[in-house]
Amino acid sequence: MVSQQQSLRDRQVASIEKILNLNQSAPDAESHHDAATSTNGLIPKTTPILNSDGDPIWKVLVFDDMGRDMISSVLRVNDLRGWGVTIHLHINSQRHQIPDVPVLYLVEPTPANLKTIASDLSRNLYSDAYINFLYSISRLAMEDFAAEIASAGCAESIVQVYDQYLNFIVAEPDLFSLSLGTDTYCRLNSAATTDEQLDNLVDQIVIGLFSVVVTTGTIPIIRCPKGGPAEMIAAKLDRKLRDHILNSKDNLFSGGSQRPSSAAGPTSSRPVLIIVDRSVDLVPMLSHSWTYQSLVHDVLKMRLNRITVESPIDNNNPERGTAKKSYDLNSNDFFWTRNSGLPFPQVAEDIDTELGRYKEEAADITRKTGASSLEDLQNDSNASATHLKNAIILLPALRERKATLDMHMNIATALLKGIKDRQLDKYYEVEETINKMSKSQILDFLNDADKGTDPLDKLRLFIIWFLSTELEVSRNEMTRFEETLAKIGVDIAPVQYVKRVREFTRMTMMTSAPTQQAQQSTGNEIFRGFSSISNRFTDRFKDGALGTNFENLISGVKNLIPVNKDLTLTKITESLMDPASASSSAIAKTEDYLYYDPRSANARGTMPAASQVRQQSNIQGGMSGLAPGVQASFGQRRQGFSEALVFTVGGGSMDEYGNLQEWAQRTSAASTGAPSGPKRRVIYGSTDLVNAEDFLMGDLARLGKESG
């Protein structure tokens, strides 16, 4: 079962660390493995194996693009060094001979990678080779690789060959992507995609999902809607899991495997894997959000947990200009971990609180030592020896915390500039009640020259309204909207595609009333930090680009406290995880979802052909002749789950991830005050995380030009 103690990221990190340890566990970890996994499902902590001198075994790490992205999202260079990695190189880079040093490969088993590995071994670039494939290598590819190694006479150099099942990227504790490209939605729905290409793409998705399931340690119940890529993926994944259980003597989910597992447990203790097509709701891919992580993803184009912002060269002298700085937002960042899912004003408040706490602690240390500042401590020979010793112990942690706060100060500054330039607070406010806006109000908004500097924001808002409104839009009215959009300088190709899919998405979207009334700030207490930090921002940029209207921005966003409003995917998840609490409309939408249990002899489905699962056919209702999977019985439809993996085919949204996590926290027994009940856990994944601009002008625009 997906462990309550460990997140998906924890489990992936544990697997990577074991690879870096040459696939060996510490002796004490091995001896206690069965007891540890049987009591709490935790993966025993691996410690570096040592050579005869008591030092870690130093090694070279060679990876491809997927291996690099997978590692860089969860580990830092210092972490690699702690596991004995002296140098890490890309497999396609020019590499020189490093004799007497073992090499650790972490790559996909592609023909090009296999050929490069064989070439490395034949040239004796390294001593021993430890080969780790990110997913299972096919029998044919393995035979070809073995034949090439044998012909080169370098088979003795290979110490290990492992299938690792790690071809997915974890961005947050329970957020993953398969990194299949931001154009996956377009490829799945384009008429230009051949059946062979569609089959290959679906196979890649199935391989990635299989790896995620292996990492969680449990075979899930699979639910998906009828038709479309989701059904094809569910059916193929079901078959892959069945084949693995039947054909592997010591399978990855058995008690004897190296991974903790409860796959043999009762159905009620297993998670549910919910697979849906992106077209069930396009709105989260385009909406303007107000949470910290969504703003960073949208405004600063975060990719693989890395962002680039422009920061002043000298905070005290803005005239010196700015320079680009790159930041990594990872699990070691205490501030990001605590605030990523919060509304931006509350994040700004917490920055102010943390800066104040840092100043108090720094002042306390300097007061006790008699130094004038932290920088003077190491040079102050008059300070009390005891206080100086304590101060030196505390200094590294304090400085690291200050560096983290400075980084988030710069990120918040960049976000505030983006909010001001694009008037994002106004877009967010309008979208909160978008389905109540009339045609004339939307037209006036589009024509308003004061609504930001990026016309794509207006295009996003119009499409959201068009998909959400109950009003019918005539051909003449649509022509007028398109002319208005074209006049402000946007490509209306996405609108052409959205017009085609509107009826389908309106059938699957579920509007949700807020679970609480919108909060209004009466005393601005919740925003006291936002106001004070804005003063600092204003002081820093009063002579710079933000200008004198900065305070107007701050005052304009004070009342924007997001309300609890469940998105369509969250309501689908609720109806499948907790049908007793779900609304009747949500249950009605998921009543005919197919049911697969890879451990059952009965709950299996028929494999649909690629030509039958195109989204266009689904949209046009052309799936009626498709042989369905298993229709769930009434008991299966009303079965509850405490844990779920939710996967969107065709792109994922930070908004959906945050909304699912908020729902899981809100409905868990600990949050509701119930004496007993499930602690909900939701892992969210997608073919790739896509920001609004890429989805709009990449996927939707290309599909619109095809249909136009």
Side-chain angles (χ1 to χ4, degrees):
M1 182 170 68
V2 182
S3 167
Q4 293 182 355
Q5 289 82 6
Q6 286 193 319
S7 65
L8 182 64
R9 177 165 59 191
D10 294 333
R11 288 173 170 268
Q12 189 184 59
V13 168
S15 298
I16 295 172
E17 289 178 344
K18 188 168 184 178
I19 293 171
L20 297 177
N21 208 26
L22 306 182
N23 290 297
Q24 297 188 41
S25 299
D28 58 338
E30 290 179 349
S31 64
H32 296 294
H33 175 79
D34 292 336
T37 56
S38 63
T39 55
N40 56 25
L42 294 178
I43 301 174
K45 181 65 176 178
T46 306
T47 56
I49 56 175
L50 308 176
N51 59 21
S52 57
D53 297 326
D55 298 321
I57 296 178
W58 303 111
K59 58 192 79 77
V60 175
L61 174 63
V62 176
F63 43 55
D64 59 4
D65 289 344
M66 174 58 80
R68 175 199 61 206
D69 294 346
M70 185 264 296
I71 289 180
S72 64
S73 294
V74 293
L75 296 180
R76 298 180 296 183
V77 173
N78 287 342
D79 299 320
L80 296 179
R81 191 168 294 119
W83 290 95
V85 176
T86 57
I87 186 172
H88 52 276
L89 301 164
H90 194 280
I91 193 169
N92 293 327
S93 65
Q94 184 177 359
R95 291 174 284 119
H96 302 286
Q97 188 177 34
I98 308 178
D100 303 324
V101 176
V103 60
L104 194 160
Y105 290 97
L106 188 58
V107 298
E108 294 180 283
T110 62
N113 286 342
L114 295 175
K115 185 175 181 180
T116 302
I117 293 172
S119 174
D120 290 351
L121 299 180
S122 66
R123 291 183 294 145
N124 295 316
L125 288 188
Y126 315 101
S127 59
D128 297 333
Y130 298 79
I131 302 173
N132 297 270
F133 296 123
L134 290 171
Y135 53 88
S136 180
I137 183 173
S138 68
R139 183 181 182 88
L140 180 61
M142 190 64 186
E143 290 174 351
D144 292 342
F145 179 59
E148 189 169 358
I149 293 296
S151 64
C154 52
E156 68 279 358
S157 299
I158 300 178
V159 179
Q160 295 176 351
V161 178
Y162 273 84
D163 293 331
Q164 294 293 352
Y165 305 101
L166 290 172
N167 56 316
F168 59 94
I169 294 170
V170 179
E172 293 288 325
D174 287 317
L175 170 66
F176 73 92
S177 78
L178 303 185
S179 195
L180 295 179
T182 58
D183 63 340
T184 308
Y185 183 81
C186 179
R187 285 187 285 158
L188 285 168
N189 294 282
S190 172
T193 303
T194 65
D195 287 352
E196 182 181 1
Q197 291 171 331
L198 183 59
D199 263 331
N200 289 337
L201 180 55
V202 168
D203 287 342
Q204 285 181 286
I205 296 172
V206 170
I207 290 171
L209 280 175
F210 183 83
S211 294
V212 173
V213 170
V214 168
T215 302
T216 63
T218 296
I219 298 174
I221 304 297
I222 305 172
R223 303 295 306 273
C224 72
K226 292 181 181 179
E231 181 184 354
M232 187 177 189
I233 291 165
K236 283 195 171 186
L237 179 60
D238 173 64
R239 177 173 293 182
K240 187 175 181 68
L241 288 166
R242 288 175 185 276
D243 290 346
H244 177 76
I245 296 169
L246 292 173
N247 300 329
S248 302
K249 178 183 286 188
D250 185 17
N251 70 69
L252 295 164
F253 304 96
S254 67
S257 71
Q258 296 180 345
R259 299 172 188 263
S261 171
S262 61
T267 302
S268 59
S269 67
R270 292 158 57 191
V272 58
L273 169 58
I274 303 167
I275 304 175
V276 298
D277 297 318
R278 179 68 272 164
S279 293
V280 299
D281 188 9
L282 297 179
V283 169
M285 302 298 293
L286 304 171
S287 60
H288 297 84
S289 182
W290 203 234
T291 62
Y292 194 27
Q293 63 187 4
S294 293
L295 280 169
V296 168
H297 195 245
D298 183 10
V299 178
L300 303 181
K301 306 295 187 285
M302 180 171 66
R303 181 72 178 167
L304 299 175
N305 284 16
R306 168 161 285 208
I307 58 173
T308 301
V309 302
E310 289 193 0
S311 301
I313 297 174
D314 184 351
N315 289 339
N316 298 320
N317 187 9
E319 294 180 356
R320 292 189 59 188
T322 60
K324 288 187 176 180
K325 289 185 179 180
S326 294
Y327 298 117
D328 291 313
L329 300 170
N330 53 46
S331 59
N332 297 318
D333 185 335
F334 77 95
F335 191 88
W336 177 255
T337 301
R338 191 170 68 203
N339 290 283
S340 59
L342 296 180
F344 182 59
Q346 294 182 22
V347 175
E349 176 193 1
D350 200 36
I351 294 178
D352 184 69
T353 302
E354 285 293 332
L355 284 171
R357 190 159 69 92
Y358 164 80
K359 288 183 178 181
E360 289 177 4
E361 293 180 15
D364 184 58
I365 291 174
T366 55
R367 184 174 62 254
K368 289 179 179 178
T369 57
S372 58
S373 67
L374 291 180
E375 288 71 18
D376 295 335
L377 275 176
Q378 292 177 322
N379 302 321
D380 193 344
S381 59
N382 297 322
S384 163
T386 303
H387 288 311
L388 186 59
K389 180 181 178 180
N390 293 335
I392 291 175
I393 293 174
L394 294 172
L395 270 178
L398 266 180
R399 284 177 173 164
E400 184 175 353
R401 201 166 89 209
K402 180 61 163 55
T404 299
L405 293 175
D406 285 344
M407 176 183 74
H408 284 281
M409 188 83 164
N410 289 332
I411 293 173
T413 302
L415 288 179
L416 282 167
K417 186 177 186 305
I419 292 170
K420 174 187 180 293
D421 291 344
R422 294 168 56 183
Q423 299 287 295
L424 296 181
D425 54 321
K426 292 183 173 59
Y427 283 92
Y428 172 74
E429 192 171 20
V430 168
E431 289 171 14
E432 283 288 273
T433 55
I434 190 71
N435 56 345
K436 297 180 180 179
M437 294 193 69
S438 65
K439 301 172 189 176
S440 60
Q441 287 175 316
I442 287 293
L443 198 60
D444 290 342
F445 194 97
L446 297 179
N447 283 312
D448 191 342
D450 295 329
K451 293 298 189 292
T453 57
D454 190 347
L456 286 182
D457 289 318
K458 291 184 176 180
L459 178 59
R460 288 164 60 180
L461 182 131
F462 170 73
I463 293 176
I464 292 170
W465 172 81
F466 184 56
L467 292 172
S468 304
T469 185
E470 296 294 327
L471 301 173
E472 292 300 326
V473 182
S474 68
R475 180 175 298 182
N476 289 337
E477 289 170 332
M478 179 56 69
T479 300
R480 188 176 179 188
F481 281 124
E482 291 175 355
E483 289 173 349
T484 301
L485 290 168
K487 186 173 64 177
I488 62 176
V490 297
D491 183 357
I492 62 170
V495 178
Q496 305 304 320
Y497 177 74
V498 171
K499 285 193 293 186
R500 290 181 52 215
V501 302
R502 185 190 186 212
E503 289 308 313
F504 171 73
T505 57
R506 287 176 70 183
M507 287 190 295
T508 55
M509 284 174 57
M510 288 180 263
T511 57
S512 172
T515 57
Q516 64 183 37
Q517 294 297 316
Q519 301 178 28
Q520 299 293 327
S521 62
T522 54
N524 291 334
E525 177 61 24
I526 194 171
F527 295 108
R528 61 175 175 79
F530 197 49
S531 300
S532 60
I533 200 171
S534 70
N535 293 334
R536 243 193 310 277
F537 288 142
T538 306
D539 292 341
R540 181 188 295 183
F541 291 101
K542 61 185 177 182
D543 297 322
L546 294 187
T548 57
N549 291 326
F550 198 85
E551 283 299 327
N552 294 332
L553 167 66
I554 300 303
S555 62
V557 299
K558 285 183 179 178
N559 290 328
L560 297 185
I561 308 175
V563 296
N564 293 331
K565 185 170 67 173
D566 293 337
L567 300 176
T568 293
L569 187 60
T570 302
K571 296 185 78 63
I572 289 173
T573 302
E574 181 182 37
S575 69
L576 296 175
M577 284 187 73
D578 186 18
S581 302
S583 66
S584 57
S585 61
I587 290 177
K589 293 288 179 70
T590 58
E591 195 76 352
D592 60 349
Y593 269 40
L594 301 178
Y595 184 99
Y596 300 87
D597 182 356
R599 297 192 64 85
S600 168
N602 300 317
R604 67 175 72 194
T606 304
M607 189 77 66
S611 59
Q612 292 179 288
V613 299
R614 293 185 179 279
Q615 194 68 31
Q616 288 88 345
S617 298
N618 196 349
I619 292 168
Q620 296 168 6
M623 302 296 292
S624 57
L626 184 65
V630 172
Q631 299 284 357
S633 66
F634 180 80
Q636 291 168 339
R637 292 198 302 269
R638 296 298 179 265
Q639 177 185 340
F641 300 88
S642 61
E643 299 174 353
L645 291 89
V646 181
F647 186 80
T648 57
V649 182
S653 158
M654 276 291 188
D655 272 8
E656 283 180 331
Y657 169 67
N659 197 248
L660 282 166
Q661 298 307 310
E662 191 277 329
W663 171 81
Q665 183 178 14
R666 188 176 78 239
T667 59
S668 290
S671 300
T672 58
S676 63
K679 180 180 180 182
R680 301 201 192 285
R681 167 91 176 280
V682 178
I683 297 174
Y684 175 74
S686 63
T687 47
D688 212 328
L689 287 172
V690 189
N691 65 49
E693 182 177 348
D694 289 340
F695 188 73
L696 187 66
M697 302 315 298
D699 295 89
L700 298 188
R702 285 172 57 189
L703 290 169
K705 289 172 182 176
E706 278 187 16
S707 61

